[in-house]
Amino acid sequence: MSSEEQVLYVSPLLYRLLRAADGALVIEVVVGGFAMSAVRVRLTAEEAQAYAREGQAWADRLARDIMARPSFDGRAYDAPG
């Protein structure tokens, strides 16, 4: 995590929601089985609105989707570190 990022939420489901330096929301999710790693997905405007409306329940669903498909249709990238 860079110093410009703000942690908004840390979940026991092995993900966290961050606000990037530019204000965008990013979800970081631990994925994998034997070799675990973390990936990040930058939320679209529509996804950010859904999070604003539904909060943690929506973020939990998104994290589970990313865990099931770690590339998240090519949108995921490796978390730093």
Side-chain angles (χ1 to χ4, degrees), residues 1-52:
M1 182 177 84
S2 76
S3 61
E4 300 86 31
E5 294 174 334
Q6 175 187 11
V7 177
L8 302 177
Y9 177 70
V10 177
S11 170
L13 294 177
L14 300 178
Y15 77 86
R16 60 189 187 157
L17 193 66
L18 311 166
R19 182 164 311 279
D22 65 2
L25 293 178
V26 176
I27 190 167
E28 182 176 284
V29 182
V30 175
V31 297
F34 177 73
M36 299 185 78
S37 63
V39 298
R40 287 184 172 189
V41 173
R42 188 178 184 92
L43 274 59
T44 65
E46 294 80 18
E47 290 165 338
Q49 289 172 354
Y51 173 70

